Amino acid sequence: MDGDRVEIDGGVMEGGGQILRVSTALSCLLGLPLRVRRIRAGRSQPGLRPQHLSGLEMIRDLCDGQLDGGEIGSTEITFTPGKIKGGTHIADTKTAGSVCLLLQVAMPCVLFAASPSELRLKGGTNAEMAPQIDYTVLVFKPIIEKFNFTFDCDIKRRGYYPQGGGEVIVRMSPVKQLSPINLTERGTVTKIHGRAFVAGALPIKLAKDMASAAVRCIRKEIRDLYVNIQPVREPDNQAFGTGSGIIIVAETSTGCLFAGSSLGKRGKNSDRVGIEAAEMLLGNLRHGGAVDDYLQDQLIIFMALANGVSRVKSGPITLHTQTAIHFAEQLTKAKFTVTKSEDEDSTKDAYFIECQGMGMINSNL
């Protein structure tokens, strides 16, 4: 069998968990046996962390596959996929490992299952170094559904660093094929809204301070729009532990969505948290692309699987996106091209990501 294993170097380019997510999802979908070496070689703590391991175990279980080298700290795994099946799949990081990253690895697979799926994902919902669940619901979901599928995301309980303890249930039905997307018209910003939250032992005043600092920061640049950021206290029965943060979303006339977010932590001034999120949003609006910098890399695997040509206009291509493209091309027959946008407005730094998708067909349906 080993002669046919696809060899993946987990230490190149971005060198993190994303290489593992993209390559194991594609391995599962395409029925390609895989060996990944030098896992997360680019990180301060190389090898599998709890969230990567629980993601791998979920993929193994949802396709009755075989996983070797699946333990914490392991820098090499081999994976032999089986047939993707629907039903209920549980992944629990038992830490604040991100449920959103678990969703990234599982979602492409269950789209090509034989029957509907329910993913029960446990861990951190609003954690560092990963999308917040609010981003998944407010930005990722409406855009990714343009590939012609829908999913339902039910936030049962929020979980924060360091304990996690959050739970999200995602339900979706399989598709025959994914349609390509065209996200190239930015339009004008029509609405800016968001939520600043506290949970556990923290006073609502922190949320109010984050919200007003963010609003003041946005006002300096965008004067003619009402900016509505709600300060909220998460109900105790819907949050585990103590946490705070903010997410702000801008919507445009063409249905594009951009976000900025930030998390509070001990010793970090709440104004600073609000300003960080506002500056991230403003940065995402300046480059003239039609998607924000955090959605870029999450679109790649879907563009590769879709049937036809997808085009996305983005800001500067992130290392995460370059990495996703590299491995999507290595594992599928999809072909990507990236070109600089020759806009009249030279202040903009925008690019077109184009992909001729492989046209994956769900043979289980």
Side-chain angles (χ1 to χ4, degrees):
M1 192 68 213
D2 266 21
D4 301 333
R5 271 193 199 282
V6 178
E7 297 280 343
I8 296 287
D9 182 346
V12 298
M13 302 176 81
E14 190 268 328
Q18 188 212 15
I19 295 176
L20 204 59
R21 287 189 291 277
V22 170
S23 56
T24 45
L26 289 172
S27 153
C28 174
L29 283 161
L30 302 168
L32 294 169
L34 194 66
R35 176 184 282 109
V36 188
R37 302 180 196 269
R38 298 204 315 137
I39 291 169
R40 297 181 68 253
R43 295 294 185 262
S44 57
Q45 266 188 309
L48 295 176
R49 305 301 308 141
Q51 69 183 35
H52 308 107
L53 183 55
S54 47
L56 283 174
E57 290 170 342
M58 176 169 52
I59 295 294
R60 174 197 66 198
D61 297 345
L62 65 80
C63 72
D64 283 329
Q66 195 185 333
L67 173 67
D68 295 300
E71 47 269 341
I72 305 285
S74 167
T75 56
E76 182 173 327
I77 58 129
T78 58
F79 176 61
T80 310
K83 183 175 152 67
I84 304 173
K85 55 179 202 241
T88 301
H89 304 290
I90 298 172
D92 185 354
T93 66
K94 302 193 169 51
T95 63
S98 167
V99 296
C100 305
L101 295 180
L102 291 174
L103 183 58
Q104 272 185 30
V105 67
M107 183 177 280
C109 300
V110 295
L111 277 173
F112 291 89
S115 60
S117 301
E118 178 176 283
L119 306 172
R120 292 181 165 261
L121 310 172
K122 301 177 184 183
T125 58
N126 299 77
E128 291 282 2
M129 306 300 294
Q132 294 190 44
I133 191 66
D134 308 84
Y135 182 90
T136 302
V137 171
L138 295 171
V139 179
F140 174 80
K141 182 181 191 297
I143 303 289
I144 216 77
E145 287 181 341
K146 293 179 191 288
F147 285 101
N148 206 17
F149 69 91
T150 58
F151 71 94
D152 179 54
C153 183
D154 182 7
I155 305 169
K156 286 285 179 218
R157 194 169 52 251
R158 290 168 179 271
Y160 311 99
Y161 182 81
Q163 304 114 308
E167 182 177 8
V168 173
I169 298 177
V170 175
R171 298 180 186 87
M172 55 200 303
S173 293
V175 292
K176 188 72 189 162
Q177 271 198 317
L178 294 176
S179 305
I181 57 164
N182 190 329
L183 296 173
T184 52
E185 296 299 324
R186 200 335 253 284
T188 54
V189 178
T190 53
K191 187 177 170 190
I192 298 178
H193 59 99
R195 73 194 298 270
F197 66 87
V198 290
L202 300 173
I204 187 74
K205 181 182 183 317
L206 290 183
K208 290 177 176 165
D209 290 349
M210 287 188 277
S212 44
V215 170
R216 283 195 304 272
C217 181
I218 292 168
R219 283 269 159 75
K220 287 182 194 152
E221 211 154 311
I222 300 173
R223 291 182 189 79
D224 50 350
L225 270 184
Y226 174 61
V227 180
N228 179 17
I229 303 174
Q230 293 287 327
V232 290
R233 204 195 136 66
E234 308 291 5
D236 287 337
N237 62 342
Q238 288 169 33
F240 184 81
T242 296
S244 66
I246 183 170
I247 177 160
I248 318 164
V249 177
E251 299 183 18
T252 76
S253 53
T254 54
C256 296
L257 297 165
F258 300 84
S261 64
S262 183
L263 290 169
K265 53 173 174 257
R266 205 180 282 264
K268 185 170 168 187
N269 177 317
S270 44
D271 281 25
R272 183 79 237 131
V273 182
I275 290 165
E276 266 180 17
E279 286 180 340
M280 184 191 290
L281 174 67
L282 292 168
N284 273 317
L285 289 171
R286 272 183 214 117
H287 56 53
V291 298
D292 74 24
D293 298 348
Y294 295 91
L295 197 63
Q296 266 185 35
D297 71 287
Q298 298 179 60
L299 295 172
I300 299 302
I301 190 167
F302 296 98
M303 292 168 76
L305 294 168
N307 180 33
V309 176
S310 293
R311 287 189 84 215
V312 173
K313 189 179 186 185
S314 73
I317 308 295
T318 65
L319 184 54
H320 263 100
T321 300
Q322 292 168 28
T323 307
I325 289 173
H326 175 85
F327 289 100
E329 287 192 326
Q330 185 183 336
L331 291 161
T332 70
K333 303 243 179 339
K335 190 76 199 90
F336 285 84
T337 50
V338 175
T339 49
K340 181 119 172 59
S341 162
E342 300 301 335
D343 271 338
E344 341 37 279
D345 186 350
S346 59
T347 60
K348 300 274 188 256
D349 196 9
Y351 294 78
F352 287 105
I353 306 171
E354 195 168 308
C355 174
Q356 173 64 59
M358 65 168 284
M360 176 86 182
I361 290 176
N362 189 343
S363 55
N364 297 313
L365 284 189

